């Protein structure tokens, strides 16, 4: 297969997704620390629980992105070795990498929608206090 380098060209893009997702995780962890350190009302405990679910969602996203990078790197390596069976293996491994990347993106979309509703609830709670 002469296009063995195609899977590896997607890796920098996924790397940017990993970087932005890790920044989201750091920010979310900081928000959680501030909420936990502040007063513990029932409303803030509910927000903390929802933010912990968000953190779990981001963690799953990162796992899917890491798996995608691994699949694409393996596909490029197998393609570069040019073994007799490599063409189909490269194709299947590349497809598996793209599918796991798309799953990670779906989790990011889920995170984004939940983040907006949590912010709205936080705003409503701050107005009520």
């Amino acid at each position: 297969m002469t296009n063995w380098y195609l899977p590896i060209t997607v890796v920098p893009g996924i790397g940017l997704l990993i970087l932005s997702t890790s920044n989201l995780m750091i920010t979310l962890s900081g928000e959680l620390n501030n909420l936990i350190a502040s007063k513990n009302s029932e409303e803030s405990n509910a927000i903390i629980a929802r933010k912990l679910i968000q953190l779990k969602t981001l963690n799953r996203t990162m796992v899917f992105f890491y798996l995608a990078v691994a699949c694409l790197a393996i596909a490029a390596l197998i393609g570069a070795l040019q073994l007799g069976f490599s063409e189909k293996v490269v194709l299947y491994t590349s497809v598996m990498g793209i599918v796991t990347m798309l799953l990670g993106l779906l989790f990011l979309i889920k995170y984004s929608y939940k983040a907006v509703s949590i912010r709205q609830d936080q705003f409503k709670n701050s107005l009520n206090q």
Side-chain angles (χ1 to χ4, degrees), residues 42-105:
E42 285 187 34
E43 292 89 16
S44 66
N45 287 339
I47 297 290
I48 289 170
R50 290 172 67 190
K51 284 191 176 279
L52 285 171
I53 292 170
Q54 273 191 308
L55 195 59
K56 193 174 187 179
T57 301
L58 286 177
N59 190 29
R60 286 184 182 141
T61 301
M62 294 288 279
V63 168
F64 280 119
F65 287 157
Y66 291 147
L67 286 173
V69 168
C71 288
L72 293 169
I74 289 168
L77 180 65
I78 291 171
L81 294 176
Q82 293 189 349
L83 304 172
F85 63 90
S86 66
E87 194 167 321
K88 286 189 178 186
V89 173
V90 169
L91 177 65
Y92 294 145
T93 311
S94 296
V95 168
M96 197 166 52
I98 299 297
V99 168
T100 55
M101 180 194 62
L102 290 174
L103 287 171
L105 287 172

Side-chain angles (χ1 to χ4, degrees), residues 105-121:
L105 287 172
L106 289 175
F107 274 100
L108 271 181
I109 291 167
K110 177 184 172 185
Y111 166 81
S112 297
Y113 278 114
K114 299 270 182 178
V116 171
S117 67
I118 290 172
R119 287 282 184 214
Q120 288 173 336
D121 290 345

Side-chain angles (χ1 to χ4, degrees), residues 22-55:
S22 65
N23 286 337
L24 289 171
M25 286 180 75
I26 291 168
T27 303
L28 185 58
S29 293
E31 289 176 10
L32 277 166
N33 285 337
N34 290 339
L35 282 171
I36 291 170
S38 69
K39 59 185 176 189
N40 284 333
S41 66
E42 285 187 34
E43 292 89 16
S44 66
N45 287 339
I47 297 290
I48 289 170
R50 290 172 67 190
K51 284 191 176 279
L52 285 171
I53 292 170
Q54 273 191 308
L55 195 59

